[in-house]
Amino acid sequence: MTTGQKAKESRRRKDQALPGPFMRAIVQEAYGSADVLHEAQVPVPPIADNDVLVKIHSAGLDRGTWHVTTGLPYALRLAYGFKAPRNPVPGMDLAGTVEAVGSKVTRFAAGDEVFGSGTGTFAEYAAAREDRLAPKPANISFEQAAVVPVSGCTALIAVRAGGIDPGRQSSHGVKVLVTGASGGVGSYAVQLAKAAGAEVTGVASAAKTDMVRALGADHVIDYTTQDFADGSAHYDVIIDIAGNPSVSRLRRALTPAGTAVITGGEEGGTWTGSMDRQLRAVALSPFIRQRLTMIVGTQKSDDLECLAGLLESGAMRPAIDRTYPLAQVPDAMRYFDAGQARGKLAITI
């Protein structure tokens, strides 16, 4: 073991001065609109052997957090609680400084700057599993790092499912369409596809087309005046994010052997959301030449480290629309719910 490794191990194993028993946090006692969110004093979360306690400098607001706050679709309550979330503190994205580590944690020590996903991150402290964290890139701010994990990892999984590797310039000549290109996941999907050398077309509203171009899209479609499935162009890969196009429309826009990757979507009713559309696509896929698939976003340290490398090289940058202090999380949620956000929203603690 080197001298540096010994010092880090000593730092990790020494008795760590944990914060006081209570902290500021945003909480909800029921599902609903932004009105159910309010600031309160809650206990600092305990950590398990494989957990890290992070002092939060910034958190990100993502679509998944909106779903947990509203309790929609109802199917998600099977995982989070029927009448109210089991964990009253919302939030998943985080960037901050390690405060303490569990007895089995080996990759981090107190004082390390990290980003990733945790539980209840709209707070001064949050617990996160070691395998859902990565070192924060030194060339970006905590606010920028905090809006990457959930949306960035989802985008990475989606483009890889389409056969695109952002780590290699191997997709030259591949035509990629990204719906929802101005949103959190979409803004990263555009950049990841471009990093792989693809020709990227983004779909967004007229008010957000300039932002999508600034992210590097070669072409932009204003969905209020143009139809990406009108037959004027066909795409090798479609990344359908938080959209509502039918499976038949996606197929019309694909090349004969193209791939459609479906994730998110806010249509389909209050019980299952868009899952019925995604499941229909997957069921049809074995019987046609085109490949129709779906993905579910997860956060893993390997994917976070891949994204960190792209952030450090400048191949990807977070697009932050607005930043809110912790007490104004309800306002951030209202802005998000109104569909006004261009890219991501950051919360500072």
Side-chain angles (χ1 to χ4, degrees):
M1 183 179 290
T2 66
T3 301
Q5 289 172 327
K6 290 179 180 178
K8 187 171 183 178
E9 181 69 8
S10 176
R11 256 199 308 153
R12 187 181 72 81
R13 292 185 179 279
K14 73 177 182 178
D15 291 335
Q16 297 163 334
L18 298 179
F22 292 97
M23 65 178 183
R24 293 170 56 232
I26 297 296
V27 301
Q28 63 178 110
E29 285 86 20
Y31 293 115
S33 68
D35 295 338
V36 304
L37 300 171
H38 62 93
E39 187 175 331
Q41 291 283 321
V42 301
V44 172
I47 56 172
D49 290 345
N50 293 306
D51 286 350
V52 174
L53 183 67
V54 180
K55 179 177 175 60
I56 308 295
H57 297 304
S58 186
L61 175 53
D62 67 284
R63 177 59 65 177
T65 297
W66 178 89
H67 281 298
V68 175
T69 299
T70 61
L72 297 173
Y74 291 130
L76 71 76
R77 301 189 186 193
L78 295 172
Y80 289 96
F82 287 103
K83 294 184 178 180
R86 295 187 186 93
N87 180 3
V89 181
M92 293 185 281
D93 279 331
L94 67 84
T97 305
V98 173
E99 185 78 12
V101 298
S103 61
K104 295 183 179 179
V105 171
T106 59
R107 295 173 54 236
F108 302 106
D112 290 346
E113 295 183 349
V114 296
F115 78 121
S117 67
T119 302
T121 62
F122 292 170
E124 291 182 297
Y125 297 91
R129 281 172 36 183
E130 179 184 22
D131 60 1
R132 292 185 179 177
L133 295 173
K136 183 186 80 68
N139 63 327
I140 64 173
S141 67
F142 283 107
E143 290 79 13
Q144 290 174 311
V147 300
V148 171
V150 172
S151 295
C153 286
T154 301
L156 182 62
I157 294 168
V159 297
R160 284 174 172 169
I164 299 167
D165 183 357
R168 300 168 56 196
Q169 285 277 327
S170 58
S171 296
H172 290 285
V174 176
K175 294 185 176 181
V176 177
L177 179 79
V178 179
T179 71
S182 64
V185 177
S187 64
Y188 293 121
V190 167
Q191 297 179 80
L192 291 170
K194 283 299 297 179
E199 179 182 334
V200 180
T201 298
V203 181
S205 64
K208 300 176 182 178
T209 54
D210 59 335
M211 171 203 162
V212 177
R213 288 192 184 91
L215 292 172
D218 300 286
H219 316 283
V220 182
I221 293 175
D222 171 9
Y223 68 75
T224 64
T225 60
Q226 300 170 270
D227 181 7
F228 69 80
D230 63 5
S232 61
H234 293 89
Y235 304 93
D236 302 296
V237 180
I238 296 177
I239 310 296
D240 180 42
I241 303 163
N244 59 358
S246 65
V247 174
S248 61
R249 285 187 66 215
L250 292 174
R251 291 192 62 200
R252 284 200 301 273
L254 280 175
T255 57
T259 296
V261 181
I262 306 173
T263 182
E266 307 313 315
E267 304 294 330
T270 57
W271 284 98
T272 60
S274 66
M275 287 299 295
D276 56 343
R277 180 175 68 106
Q278 299 181 32
L279 293 173
R280 286 199 307 273
V282 172
L284 176 63
S285 188
F287 304 100
I288 59 176
R289 285 184 63 197
Q290 293 164 328
R291 179 170 170 262
L292 311 176
T293 188
M294 59 179 281
I295 65 103
V296 176
T298 58
Q299 302 80 52
K300 299 185 299 183
S301 58
D302 288 349
D303 288 346
L304 289 166
E305 288 170 2
C306 175
L307 294 173
L310 293 167
L311 291 164
E312 288 170 341
S313 71
M316 190 179 82
R317 61 181 177 83
I320 297 179
D321 183 348
R322 295 186 180 184
T323 300
Y324 294 81
L326 182 64
Q328 293 180 15
V329 163
D331 293 332
M333 188 68 75
R334 292 184 188 99
Y335 184 73
F336 181 89
D337 194 26
Q340 298 174 308
R342 296 159 56 94
K344 297 289 297 182
L345 304 179
I347 310 300
T348 58
I349 290 87

